[in-house]
Amino acid sequence: DYVVVFEEDTAERLVSLVKPTIYAKGGDYGHGGVYLPETRIVEANGGKVVVLPFHYNHSTTGIVETIIQRYCPGDSQVGPGGGSEPRP
C-alpha cells in the first residue's frame, strides 16, 4: 500500500511508475473511474480501478488534518492536507 504526495494535477506519472494492482479512489469521482486519466495507465499495466462508496464528510484530506492536529500540534512544517506549507 502507498500514500504519496505529488505536485501534479493528476497522478498519471506516479501511477505509471508505481503500477498498482488496485488503484482506489473516493466515490466523489463517480462513473466507476472511467473518466479518471489514471485509469488507462492502471488498466494497461493489468491493474484495476476501484471507486469506493462516497461518505459525506469523510476524506483523505480530513484524515490527514486530524492526524496533524493530534500528533503534530504547532508543527509549522506540515500544512493542511499534509503539504509543506505552514498551517493557518
Side-chain angles (χ1 to χ4, degrees), residues 1-2 5 10 16 28 30 32-33 40 46 48 54 64 66 68-69 74 76-77 86-88:
D1 296 345
Y2 295 91
V5 176
T10 70
S16 68
D28 53 329
R40 64 178 176 77
K48 179 179 177 181
F54 178 76
V64 170
T66 298
I68 291 168
Q69 289 170 1
S76 65
Q77 297 301 308
R87 290 187 288 168

Side-chain angles (χ1 to χ4, degrees), residues 1-75:
D1 296 345
Y2 295 91
V3 174
V4 181
V5 176
F6 58 93
E7 298 294 325
E8 295 86 3
D9 290 336
T10 70
E12 290 174 278
R13 187 175 70 82
L14 178 63
V15 168
S16 68
L17 295 170
V18 176
K19 296 179 176 56
T21 303
I22 299 172
Y23 184 68
K25 295 296 283 185
D28 53 329
Y29 285 91
H31 304 291
V34 174
Y35 301 113
L36 288 170
E38 301 91 343
T39 298
R40 64 178 176 77
I41 298 166
V42 172
E43 292 176 348
N45 287 299
K48 179 179 177 181
V49 173
V50 177
V51 177
L52 304 171
F54 178 76
H55 293 283
Y56 179 75
N57 230 9
H58 288 79
S59 68
T60 304
T61 301
I63 293 168
V64 170
E65 288 175 354
T66 298
I67 292 169
I68 291 168
Q69 289 170 1
R70 288 185 186 170
Y71 301 102
C72 305
D75 185 349

